[in-house]
Amino acid sequence: MAGTTTLTGKAAPAARTATCQGKVGNLDNPDGYDGGHLVGSQLGGWGRRANMVPQEQNFNRGNYAQIENQTAKCTPLTRSSLTYLARVTYLNLSTNTPSTWTLEPKLNGEVITRTFDNAPYGGPNGTTSRQQIVNWLISKGCV
C-alpha cells in the first residue's frame, strides 16, 4: 500500500476523523497504535480509511509527525514541486498492521529515501532517519 501526493503551492489540510483513526489503530492491536495517515492532513492527505493503516502511536506522533510537519513547510515554494511518497510493507499478510514505513520525499528531481520500523520511534534508527530527512528538507529551503 502506498500514498502519494504532489504539492505545488499551499496544501489545504484535509478533515481529520478521530473515530476512524481509533478504529484503524485498533484493527490488530488493543493499545498503542493510531490510525496513521500515509499522507498527513497537513500535506493534503485524505482523513479516511483509504489513507490509514495501524501505526505505533509513539512513532506516529513523534518522528513521523516531525517529518510531515517539516515537509508541509515546503508548500510555499512557488517554483518547486514536491512529491511525498509513503509506502508500507507487510511481512505478515494475515495482519492489517504493516511492518515498515518507507518515506520518499522528492523535491526538484532530488529524492531521499528512508525506511522505518512500525515500532516506537520508528525503530532503532528511526530518530537518525527522521533527522536526516528533516535536515535534507531544510537544505532544500523547506523552512
Side-chain angles (χ1 to χ4, degrees):
M1 176 182 260
T4 306
T5 190
T6 300
L7 302 177
T8 54
K10 186 164 177 66
R16 290 176 126 350
T17 308
T19 302
C20 187
Q21 286 177 273
K23 286 180 183 177
V24 171
N26 291 318
L27 285 173
D28 296 320
N29 314 286
D31 293 311
Y33 282 75
D34 292 337
H37 290 89
L38 294 165
V39 178
S41 62
Q42 69 272 55
L43 302 174
W46 194 41
R48 304 295 286 186
R49 172 66 179 109
N51 186 34
M52 288 184 222
V53 297
Q55 185 178 25
E56 196 282 328
Q57 66 183 214
N58 172 278
F59 173 42
N60 182 41
R61 299 173 191 188
N63 284 333
Y64 198 78
Q66 290 176 43
I67 292 167
E68 289 175 321
N69 291 335
Q70 192 67 48
T71 303
K73 294 178 181 181
C74 295
T75 58
L77 301 176
T78 57
R79 294 183 304 180
S80 300
S81 176
L82 172 79
T83 301
Y84 184 89
L85 173 67
R87 183 175 41 250
V88 294
T89 304
Y90 296 85
L91 295 180
N92 180 353
L93 296 180
S94 66
T95 181
N96 294 296
T97 303
S99 303
T100 62
W101 291 65
T102 299
L103 298 182
E104 197 171 283
K106 182 178 180 181
L107 185 59
N108 293 331
E110 295 181 48
V111 67
I112 184 170
T113 304
R114 295 292 182 270
T115 299
F116 299 84
D117 295 335
N118 193 6
Y121 305 101
N125 298 317
T127 299
T128 298
S129 294
R130 182 253 313 150
Q131 193 60 51
Q132 290 169 340
I133 292 175
V134 167
N135 287 343
W136 182 83
L137 290 164
I138 291 170
S139 77
K140 302 300 175 208
C142 304
V143 291

